[in-house]
Amino acid sequence: MKNVEGKRLLVIAGFVWCTAGFNVLRTGIANMVSHSHGLVLPLVFSAIIYYLFMKFVFLRLVNKHSRRILTYCNKKINIFKFMDRKGYFIFFFMIVLGILFQRYHLVHLLYLGCFYTGLGAALFSGGVIFFKRYSNP
């Protein structure tokens, strides 16, 4: 296993969160554009989803993981320690749920697109915060 200086886990977390956020956001925008007659209302719903997930889920997770990572100081830490087990479980659960919703059309793709757009933007924003914490702890 590869070990890195503890603080660099913030960069790894930022990269993973931004990558995941970008992919979810891209899927959401594609679903919204292809299934909507106008984008104003879907974007409003996406903004609400963004706010709710950012404030009540992702910002808390970013703060929790950042505090934990910054306690590692100059120690060499396994690169997968940028999240704890619960964080990996949440990511895994969200990915599986997303695949199921998309694959089996459990929700109309317009609604799923609104949700994905807000969720992806919030994930991407969380990744940006990890990068900021690296450069300015």
Side-chain angles (χ1 to χ4, degrees):
M1 292 285 183
K2 177 81 170 143
N3 292 332
V4 297
E5 180 186 330
K7 188 178 171 185
R8 292 183 194 261
L9 292 176
L10 292 170
V11 174
I12 295 168
F15 177 77
V16 169
W17 280 53
C18 281
T19 302
F22 174 78
N23 286 321
V24 172
L25 181 63
R26 183 174 46 103
T27 302
I29 290 172
N31 284 341
M32 272 194 333
V33 168
S34 64
H35 292 89
S36 177
H37 299 294
L39 290 179
V40 174
L41 201 53
L43 287 174
V44 168
F45 286 125
S46 294
I48 293 168
I49 296 294
Y50 170 85
Y51 173 78
L52 293 173
F53 269 87
M54 197 63 202
K55 181 172 175 75
F56 296 111
V57 180
F58 295 139
L59 196 54
R60 291 178 182 183
L61 287 172
V62 169
N63 288 334
K64 175 183 140 184
H65 292 305
S66 295
R67 279 192 304 272
R68 181 181 49 79
I69 288 169
L70 289 171
T71 64
Y72 295 146
C73 299
N74 295 326
K75 298 176 192 168
K76 295 286 187 179
I77 304 295
N78 185 297
I79 61 171
F80 295 107
K81 291 276 190 174
F82 68 89
M83 279 196 304
D84 57 11
R85 285 183 190 203
K86 183 179 175 184
Y88 279 110
F89 177 76
I90 290 169
F91 254 53
F92 176 76
F93 178 74
M94 289 173 61
I95 290 168
V96 168
L97 206 58
I99 291 169
L100 290 175
F101 275 91
Q102 189 84 15
R103 171 103 167 107
Y104 295 108
H105 305 287
L106 300 175
V107 176
H108 190 279
L109 291 179
L110 172 60
Y111 304 129
L112 198 58
C114 293
F115 181 75
Y116 279 2
T117 300
L119 182 73
L123 262 172
F124 190 88
S125 296
V128 170
I129 294 171
F130 275 119
F131 285 127
K132 288 173 82 172
R133 297 267 167 86
Y134 174 77
S135 59
N136 191 13

